[in-house]
Amino acid sequence: MKKCGIRAQVAWLTLLPLLVLVIGMESFFLHERYVDLDRDLLTRGQLIARQLAASSEYGVFASNAAFLSGIAESALGQPDVEGVVVLNAASKVLVNTGVFQGDAMHSTARLSRVSSGTPVFDDGKTLLLYQPIISSQLMIDGSDFQPDLRPAGAVIIDMSWEETRHLKSRLLWFTLSVTGIFLLVTLYLVHLASRSIIEPIKRLSEAIQLIGAGHLETRVIVPSRINELCTLTCGINQMTADLQHERNILQQRIDEATQQLHGLAFYDNLTGLPNRRLLNDRLTQALANSKRSGHYGAVMFLDLDNFKPLNDQFGHAVGDLLLIEVARRISRCLRETDTVARFGGDEFVVMLSRLDVDYAESVSLAHNVAEKIHQLLAEGYCLSYRPAGQREITVEHDCTSSIGVVLFLDHENSQEEILSWADAAMYQAKKEGRNRICIYEQSQTETTSPPFDNS
């Protein structure tokens, strides 16, 4: 089904009933006027026929053709009179003028259509009227004499419909012209009046399309005095503002959830340090940078020596406090370009990037950082916590660390192997009595203790 705009709808709803009303009124008006014109022609013809019959009485009795011809000619001067025939009592034609002159057979056929019994004949083209001539005899007072009312003759006149048809045609065209002008003026007025409704609705429609496309910042400004349109405009603006607010809240929640997911994916939930996945990414970047720059890098594997007894005695809550403090102390010893990650449990991994192009100098730099971390972690811990339903408790704890170190430079081995070598060095430190630093010598097949084993 073909759709149309509001302007067309308003025009049709206004003009269609008006058009039906106008057509009905025109039809009624034209019908009445046509009937009046037909009646006027018939009445005028009958009046002329009666006057002509009264005037022809003397001429018929006297058979005065000249007199009757004068009367007939004067009748022909009347509008729409096309012919006149005067008959005597024996139906003999005394005078015929106008259309009755000429072909005698044709005239006789026309005259036979009317008589005293059929005084009017109308075939839509010709109107024939028959009027008998009655002698006007005077009655004598007190006399029983009754005048003879038999016709002394008759008058037949031929009235033409041509002028009436012209009048009807002009009336029809005039009515149609007036109606057309009226409808055009009405259409223009409807157009002007509908703009106050159509233009605001058009703006509302365009705004709704923009809102549907996601442009929730859209607002509708429709100057209108129509209460319903003002209410609709305010409702759409309020709805759009609410949708925009809800979308902002939803987007904020999505961003927060994305950030949380990113944190869960790349950071340790307890300490906030990078986890294994992020450490692997940064180690990959460090290997690539080492290849380009020619500087050594280092990986440290760190394990707390006496973490389990604290966890067993005071519970995981205190153990978590210790891990958080250890993460904070390690981070204080590193540069912004370095990375510390929690590898799991009480194990931490430190990655040092861009040390030096010389191996011995790089070993010395890595050992200095490891020694700094080792000493800082060996300082005492004061851990405060509040068990459920109890007062706050402070736990003092001493904790040392075992650290394994391995250096890398554009290493052909994978990062898993580098981490495993650092892990092996850390276990070597534990094997040798804990609380020490061991460096994995890449030229050997096992870990050995460097000259600066103990700190």
Side-chain angles (χ1 to χ4, degrees):
M1 184 177 180
K2 186 178 180 180
K3 298 181 180 179
C4 58
I6 297 176
R7 190 184 302 275
Q9 290 280 0
V10 171
W12 277 112
L13 289 177
T14 304
L15 293 180
L16 189 60
L18 187 61
L19 185 61
V20 173
L21 179 63
V22 168
I23 291 176
M25 294 181 64
E26 282 186 353
S27 300
F28 176 78
F29 170 75
L30 289 175
H31 178 266
E32 291 296 318
R33 288 298 301 148
Y34 286 179
V35 171
D36 289 342
L37 290 174
D38 292 345
R39 186 183 301 113
D40 288 345
L41 182 63
L42 177 61
T43 302
R44 188 154 43 84
Q46 290 175 339
L47 180 60
I48 293 173
R50 285 196 295 270
Q51 291 178 347
L52 184 60
S55 301
S56 302
E57 180 181 356
Y58 166 75
V60 171
F61 278 109
S63 297
N64 191 340
F67 177 78
L68 293 175
S69 296
I71 296 176
E73 290 295 335
S74 64
L76 284 176
Q78 298 295 325
D80 301 320
V81 177
E82 295 290 325
V84 176
V85 174
V86 179
L87 305 176
N88 60 12
S91 298
K92 179 181 178 182
V93 176
L94 299 179
V95 174
N96 58 345
T97 59
V99 295
F100 295 108
Q101 291 179 339
D103 190 352
M105 294 183 62
H106 178 69
S107 298
T108 303
R110 290 169 61 87
L111 293 175
S112 63
R113 296 173 180 175
V114 291
S115 62
S116 59
T118 309
V120 178
F121 171 80
D122 183 9
D123 61 357
K125 297 180 180 180
T126 301
L127 176 62
L128 295 177
L129 300 176
Y130 181 91
Q131 179 65 40
I133 300 174
I134 307 298
S135 60
S136 55
Q137 300 181 15
L138 296 177
M139 293 183 59
I140 301 175
D141 292 340
S143 173
D144 294 333
F145 174 75
Q146 296 294 330
D148 187 4
L149 299 180
R150 289 180 301 175
V155 173
I156 299 175
I157 64 174
D158 187 329
M159 302 292 292
S160 174
W161 284 106
E162 183 175 357
E163 184 63 25
T164 302
R165 284 196 296 268
H166 287 324
L167 289 175
K168 290 181 179 180
S169 178
R170 289 197 296 268
L171 181 62
L172 175 62
W173 283 110
F174 174 77
T175 304
L176 293 178
S177 300
V178 171
T179 302
I181 295 173
F182 173 74
L183 291 177
L184 290 176
V185 172
T186 303
L187 181 61
Y188 178 71
L189 294 177
V190 169
H191 169 73
L192 294 180
S194 63
R195 289 179 59 183
S196 61
I197 300 176
I198 295 170
E199 293 301 327
I201 293 179
K202 183 179 179 181
R203 293 188 184 181
L204 290 174
S205 177
E206 293 173 352
I208 290 174
Q209 289 180 353
L210 290 175
I211 294 170
H215 301 283
L216 298 183
E217 71 282 356
T218 303
R219 296 296 181 270
V220 187
I221 301 177
V222 179
S224 177
R225 297 182 180 180
I226 302 177
N227 293 331
E228 290 77 4
L229 290 177
C230 293
T231 302
L232 184 60
T233 300
C234 294
I236 290 178
N237 288 336
Q238 184 62 44
M239 178 191 68
T240 307
D242 293 341
L243 288 175
Q244 187 177 22
H245 179 67
E246 294 295 331
R247 186 176 72 173
N248 292 337
I249 294 176
L250 180 61
Q251 186 62 45
Q252 182 179 358
R253 291 178 179 175
I254 291 174
D255 294 340
E256 292 175 354
T258 302
Q259 187 175 1
Q260 291 178 0
L261 290 175
H262 182 269
L264 292 175
F266 294 100
Y267 291 90
D268 177 58
N269 191 36
L270 176 63
T271 63
L273 297 178
N275 58 14
R276 292 190 183 191
R277 180 178 297 174
L278 185 54
L279 175 66
N280 290 333
D281 291 342
R282 293 187 178 179
L283 184 55
T284 300
Q285 296 176 9
L287 288 170
N289 292 334
S290 175
K291 181 178 180 179
R292 289 193 302 268
S293 65
H295 287 71
Y296 280 91
V299 173
M300 301 179 187
F301 215 106
L302 184 150
D303 184 81
L304 302 180
D305 291 332
N306 54 347
F307 176 74
K308 189 174 184 300
L310 177 68
N311 231 12
D312 294 341
Q313 182 178 357
F314 296 101
H316 292 286
V318 178
D320 290 345
L321 292 177
L322 178 62
L323 293 175
I324 294 172
E325 179 61 21
V326 168
R328 187 182 65 82
R329 292 186 183 185
I330 296 174
S331 299
R332 286 165 50 190
C333 301
L334 303 178
R335 302 168 298 178
E336 291 184 359
T337 57
D338 300 330
T339 299
V340 55
R342 185 185 176 197
F343 215 64
D346 59 341
E347 295 180 338
F348 295 84
V349 175
V350 176
M351 186 192 72
L352 305 177
S353 61
R354 201 175 180 82
L355 294 176
D356 199 276
V357 295
D358 181 69
Y359 177 76
E361 182 64 23
S362 297
V363 170
S364 177
L365 292 173
H367 177 266
N368 291 339
V369 177
E371 182 64 28
K372 186 178 179 181
I373 295 173
H374 183 263
Q375 291 179 3
L376 191 59
L377 294 183
E379 295 178 2
Y381 295 86
C382 186
L383 308 172
S384 299
Y385 78 105
R386 183 187 296 275
Q390 301 181 22
R391 61 183 180 179
E392 186 176 83
I393 299 176
T394 301
V395 177
E396 295 183 357
H397 181 70
D398 293 326
C399 181
T400 61
S401 60
S402 299
I403 303 176
V405 183
V406 63
L407 271 69
F408 61 85
L409 174 65
D410 186 19
H411 216 287
E412 296 180 356
N413 300 94
S414 65
Q415 54 186 344
E416 287 79 9
E417 291 178 315
I418 295 174
L419 291 173
S420 67
W421 292 337
D423 186 45
M426 184 270 293
Y427 275 105
Q428 181 66 26
K430 281 186 174 292
K431 184 178 179 181
E432 293 179 1
R434 302 174 184 270
N435 190 24
R436 65 184 61 231
I437 302 170
C438 286
I439 297 179
Y440 185 89
E441 295 294 342
Q442 299 178 20
S443 61
Q444 303 178 10
T445 57
E446 58 183 359
T447 56
T448 58
S449 299
F452 34 79
D453 243 358
N454 299 319
S455 303

